[in-house]
Amino acid sequence: MSTRDSWRNSWGSGYGGGGLSFGGTSAWGAGGGDTVFRVLSRTSERQSKRRSGIISGFSGDGLYEEDDLSVYSERDVHLPPISKAEDWGLMPDVKNYAERGEKDQLKSRKLGVTWKNLTVKGIGSDAAFNENVSSQFNLPRNIKEGRQPPPLNTIIDDTHGCVKPGEMLLVLGRPGSGCTTLLKMLANRRNGYAEVNGDVHFGSMTAKEAEQYRGQIVMNTEEELFFPTLTVGQTVDFATRMNVPYHKFSDQHSDKEYQEEYRDFLLKSMGITHTSGTKVGNEYVRGVSGGERKRVSIIETLASRGSVFCWDNSTRGLDASTALQYTKAIRAMTDVVGLSTVVSLYQAGNGIYDLFDKVLVLDEGKEIYYGPREQARPFMEELGFVCGDGANVADFLTGVTVPTERSVRPGFEASFPRTAVEIRDDYSRSDINAIMGKQSAYPQTDEAKENTKEFKEAIAYDKDKSLPKQSPLTVSFAKQVKACVVRQYQIVWGDKPTFIIKQVATLVQALVVGSLFYNASTDSSGLFSKSGALFFSLLYQALMALSEVTDSFAGRPVLAKHKAFAFFHPAAFCIAQIAADIPVLLFQVSHFSLVLYFMVSLRMSASAFFIYWVTLLATAICMAAVMRAIGAVFSTFDGATKLSGFWFSALITYIGYFIPKNRMHPWFVWIYWIDPLAYGFEILLANEVHGQTIPCVNNNLIPNGPGYTDLAFQSCAGVAGAVQGATTVTGDQYLQAFSYKHSHLWRNFGIIWAWWAFFVVVTIVATSNWKEMAGKSGFLVIPRENVKKTLPLLQNDEESQAKEKPASRDQLAPLDSSSSSMDEKTIENQLISNTSVFTWKNLTYTVKTSSGDRVLLDNVQGWVKPGMLGALMGSSGAGKTTLLDVLAQRKTEGSITGSVLVDGRPLSVAFQRSAGYCEQLDIHEPLATVREALEFSALLRQGRSVPKEEKIKYVDTIVNLLEMQDIEHTLVGRTGAGLSVEQRKRLTIGVELVAKPSILIFLDEPTSGLDGQAAFNTLRFLRKLAAVGQAVLVTIHQPSALLFKEFDTLLLLARGGKTVYFGDIGVEASTLKDYFARNGAPCPRGVNPAEHMIDVVSGSASQGKDWNQVWLESPEHKEVSKEVDRINKEAAGKPPGTVDDGHEFAMPLWQQTKLVTHRMNVALYRNTDYINNKFALHIGSALFNGFTFWKIGSSVQELQLKLFTIFNFIFVAPGVINQLQPLFIDRRDIYEFREKKSKMYSWIAFVTGLIVSEFPYLCICAVLYFAPWYYTVGFTTDSNKAGATFFVMLFYEFIYTGIGQFIAAYAPNAVFASLVNPALITVLVSFCGVLVPYSQIQEFWRYWIYWLNPFNYLVSSILTFTVFDNVVQCDEHEFALFDTPNNQTCGEYLAPYKAGLGARTNLVNPEATSGCRVCQYRFGSDYLSTLNINDYYVGWRDAGIVVIFAISSYVMVFLLMKLRTKATKTAS
């Protein structure tokens, strides 16, 4: 066997002959393959042959003369492969796996990707309109715009290329040039694009054929999507479990052995083994650092064991050393395994750039270069562009179309191509294009066909035999379910607070309700109580299930990602959710049942209890499935909450408790038949009363009291099912009155499970159709009211772009460029300078963890002086962001020791607003425009003595300075719809600059996610700030040599927050290089010093030294300690550079409140989704309630329906609250994570703004409910009473909004809030006097909670206004019918009764001597007296109390927000 063949087979085993083998199967596929054996390092002879100009021959990754091509194409190279990543630390492991694979000689999994004439169009122009609450109703304009077809935007314009097995392609382009879209096409992800033309082949397969191999054609996107409460180990463990091949290597005996070896290799390959037990975390859950999280995302992608990999800006957030190691890892795997790798990068250093074979440069979607990497620079230089010495070649290639960034060679000024179109024309005429174009025929070659055939066989061999042939998955369905179940438990366990609150709330509810219906009697008075207890048992399960809607949106992006990786079938996830639910619900339902059942004294038999318990369990599981299905079917959270809130109230109304089935109107009775709760209620009621004989007592027995003891002359009244003249009712008669039968018990149980199965299927189908983010992204959003201000700017911009692209659209133009719109002198005069010096000494920061105290910063010291630009660097996880947080006083947990001083003095109360801090995460109000965000910051953070006009003028300066004139009136938006990453970063910097920070500016990763030019311009801008006297401290991950030159000083940290170096960098980094050279780590020539020293501290060049110890023992360290003391002493002796005005906030509270309220008002006015949902829920619920209780009459039973329709109004609250809380928490997060910490405004202003902004919409909501409901149910048309009812309804809107907001104010997240809601609402509902009349509430509750319950006053006031004067007319079957003794007239017989207990009853035939007919009530007021409403004035009294409750619920919002607001930590 030739060397080549042996290498190919060595990678084949288990992964289909080309994959990296992990214990039995190779882990990647696409086997060594012919391309792997191309000569990866050029001999000197061939290098000497290379022509300096445009070349004539190319293949693989190198250039040759024409005669070389024939040799290369014979593909018979017998040299061992030499990888460009031969020095990668784990290369021996990769080769070792390859050798283990040699034995099994399996098929190769090589594929390759080829595309030609590829054009992609997306829906939407550069900008979309954001309608507001009033503009959305402009019907003529909406119709006109609706008729026009949506404009199509060309994202990728006629590109071609080919990446064969074993090759790496680097895609370069500015943000917005189409790199991500190209990668999506090459990863076969076409969702959401309007039009895709051209051919893309994977091996010899078309894109359509390749769909079933989505797990082998994978893409790593820029977003990091994880379950934040899982640990790194659990996340990687899950990914690797999902890709264990069916046939493993002979030396491995189990799936577990394979999976663990594979997992450990991946963790080691990215250097994050130490984070295995740490939570992944996100913006709001503390976890691993940003760089470590990015590496988890890389590992998860590698775990797919793909053949074609697309990596979209995967080094974002990684330090230079880690980024290089990542690229080497990919290079090594590509070479040895024969992957086809496509990578887009924004800031690629030359070390990374040199690892690639080919380069493709995109500009505005046009391919301006595609060819060998070695030829890219010479090609551009031939056109007249100059690449400076030491410059990043990648940045040079993407900058050639930007006037302010390109350099033109003398003599080419008139002839060089100025636009992307011109460069593309030059490229299309070049020999490189002709040669590269020939590769488009690769899919038709025998090699590609053979590779594809082997690939398919290998995949089939790897796949579990139980899977269908067309399935893209690897492991069996049972294993998918098992892994998903384990993960589901880990998610539950990782979020213990939520689990605990659920169980505690359930137990408390059971105790409260058990005591409410305590020891219900077995006579007629206990019937209503027992029915109430049974109804409540189901109501609580349904309320708890509502949180599933919120939950389903939390994990959706992760599932869409895993679906794209072909990890598991969505059904496996849905089944896992159910499997994980069962033990939790078993526990929850069991302790709920045990407490409630026996406290209420429900039927005392084992069989009855277990029927109750199993019915509750089935109903709880079924309702979770209902809400999950609603969550799965909707693409937006607002849509899902709208339906879930409405559907919830429909299911509760038609359960059969409020309205007996025989009284339901025919137009809505179908809801009863599809309501799982209704079947559950019939089971519970039949289980409780079947076979019982229930005596009538008290009000239900007429007459009763002293002297009335002979049952022959008494009758039941007001008890459903009772035969007229009888004094008892049997359980089955009672059931018959509701159209229930005991024989339906097990039938209904089966129907509940049938509905559960139906909703599970709906969930699985909907989940299977979940899409990842669509292709319509990257457009600006203009508020409709700003159209006139904005469109002319954007149109001008587009016209100028056609001629020559300006820097302003996507870049921070250099301030000294001709495009800058203000001369430098003006800017310098307007920018604020600073004379204060900032120092920190012996700074140590410790946090408590489950394994004890952890030191994140260890005796760090340093300073920033005016005019100084300081860099703070270190590997990912070294504590850079932590140090900035501590210095800027942003930490609220942990303990800080050491000193942080300004001018040798402790930090003043105004420090946090006097220092600017641009955080790594660009957190902004999404519904504010750029200018509004800047003005908001300027008005609130500049001193109160500065006139408003001057503040606004300064905003103009900053807008011009940051070149944001064309986007100042567009919305910030969210990722994809709104500002780009780079524009957001500029806004973050702008928001801090307009505050005129007087001490210093901190910036955390200001260049992360930007391309090279944007990063350089950002740094140039910071340099400018330093030049006018600002002190600036910046953390930075991957500075090029060019960026690094801009800094004056460097603080270098190693893991654990230990200092490795602090001091000047020196000209061309000479001082820094000297220090490391002196200590045995000289910087090689031509190497970027920034990358070198990160490598020395944490990478391959560390030589095993403790560089922190080296620093502590160095003379430089002693000098720094002395210098800090000297600076502090000198500064303390002078007057301070900044005068402290003594105010914590720049503006007085009233001004803060006005500005914050205005911002909230505008945001809500533009939030049409939220407002429309609020309106729709009210109109829908009102119509539903109105038509359910259509034109209620005046019989006894209909009095109760009037009570229930009013009671039903309460249930508009849960749906609206569920929708309101996530919005509140989003706003709170923006406040807490940025605005609070920069002392922009007080929490009082924040809460006031949030509360007041809702008022106008709540008033409209009250009208929208009142009008369709009040008149359809047939209440009195007397305007006094209708007006009084509306008044109470209006204040109820305020009450429940306040309740929702005060829960959200203290809840850690939206899911937690959605679990607290049912606990509070059910208590209020239980004790409002509807489910249990006042007289039957236990004394313990009756004398306090009843009177403290706003729902009690709401119901009683509306009842008073609508029912008090009604004349009651009994239906025939409602009369108590009995004879009199001794031939007395009915009037005579009932005289004592009418004078006492029966004073409120109505005897209609007093003269009769038999067949006395007594109606329970004469007027509505008689009925109300049983509900503790004894006079008409009670209505107005209670209406007043409702107003007091509305005010107090808002007071609670302030109170709980105050409790939540923690002070930030200072150094002690």
Side-chain angles (χ1 to χ4, degrees), residues 353-574:
Y353 177 80
D354 290 340
L355 289 168
F356 287 87
D357 303 318
K358 299 176 181 175
V359 173
L360 187 152
V361 185
L362 283 176
D363 196 292
E364 292 179 340
K366 295 168 183 64
E367 185 172 290
I368 61 172
Y369 177 83
Y370 162 64
R373 169 186 52 79
E374 296 91 333
Q375 237 13 61
R377 178 174 170 175
F379 170 76
M380 292 298 181
E381 287 178 332
E382 282 241 328
L383 297 180
F385 301 108
V386 178
C387 182
D389 289 337
N392 280 353
V393 180
D395 294 346
F396 159 69
L397 293 175
T398 53
V400 291
T401 54
V402 183
T404 54
E405 279 144 24
R406 62 188 173 209
S407 301
V408 180
R409 210 158 67 210
F412 281 80
E413 289 86 356
S415 62
F416 78 90
R418 284 159 168 73
T419 64
V421 175
E422 289 174 22
I423 298 177
R424 180 166 72 170
D425 292 345
D426 280 331
Y427 169 69
S428 55
R429 290 191 291 268
S430 72
D431 288 359
I432 298 183
N433 181 45
I435 294 159
M436 302 312 289
K438 288 176 187 170
Q439 294 190 353
S440 298
Y442 177 73
Q444 284 75 50
T445 62
D446 292 343
E447 181 192 335
K449 287 174 184 170
E450 181 60 26
N451 280 347
T452 308
K453 180 170 169 281
E454 292 193 359
F455 168 83
K456 289 179 177 178
E457 289 170 3
I459 297 297
Y461 190 70
D462 257 6
K463 196 189 294 183
D464 193 282
K465 298 303 168 226
S466 62
L467 292 170
K469 277 187 178 173
Q470 299 297 310
S471 171
L473 310 172
T474 306
V475 300
S476 69
F477 188 70
K479 286 177 184 168
Q480 294 169 37
V481 171
K482 185 183 169 190
C484 288
V485 169
V486 169
R487 182 180 67 171
Q488 210 55 33
Y489 281 124
Q490 288 167 340
I491 291 168
V492 170
W493 191 244
D495 190 13
K496 286 190 279 290
T498 303
F499 174 74
I500 291 165
I501 187 91
K502 236 180 183 172
Q503 301 314 318
V504 170
T506 302
L507 185 61
V508 169
Q509 281 300 318
L511 287 165
V512 168
V513 176
S515 60
L516 172 68
F517 298 104
Y518 184 69
N519 216 1
S521 62
T522 54
D523 52 35
S524 64
S525 64
L527 259 185
F528 197 66
S529 294
K530 286 181 177 178
S531 305
L534 298 175
F535 164 72
F536 177 82
S537 302
L538 294 171
L539 169 71
Y540 185 72
Q541 308 312 322
L543 271 170
M544 287 305 268
L546 268 178
S547 67
E548 291 296 337
V549 178
T550 316
D551 251 352
S552 98
F553 281 87
R556 180 172 293 194
V558 187
L559 301 177
K561 176 177 77 167
H562 286 172
K563 184 188 165 194
F565 286 161
F567 277 179
F568 52 81
H569 192 280
F573 170 72
C574 296

Side-chain angles (χ1 to χ4, degrees), residues 983-1002:
Q983 289 163 336
R984 262 166 217 281
K985 191 57 75 181
R986 273 194 274 163
L987 176 60
T988 302
I989 295 171
V991 162
E992 293 304 316
L993 287 183
V994 293
K996 284 195 177 176
S998 57
I999 296 175
L1000 84 161
I1001 301 173
F1002 299 103

Side-chain angles (χ1 to χ4, degrees), residues 169-231:
L169 169 70
L170 175 62
V171 178
L172 294 172
R174 316 283 291 280
S177 60
C179 297
T180 300
T181 299
L182 178 62
L183 262 64
K184 281 188 173 179
M185 293 303 113
L186 301 188
N188 214 12
R189 296 184 179 193
R190 299 181 169 211
N191 273 338
Y193 292 99
E195 225 175 81
V196 179
N197 298 315
D199 299 324
V200 182
H201 281 89
F202 299 91
S204 62
M205 292 184 287
T206 63
K208 189 79 188 151
E209 292 168 324
E211 281 176 5
Q212 78 173 83
Y213 298 103
R214 67 167 187 261
Q216 276 60 51
I217 302 165
V218 291
M219 176 171 176
N220 176 248
T221 58
E222 221 176 329
E223 297 88 38
E224 279 125 45
L225 306 167
F226 297 105
F227 290 109
T229 58
L230 291 183
T231 66

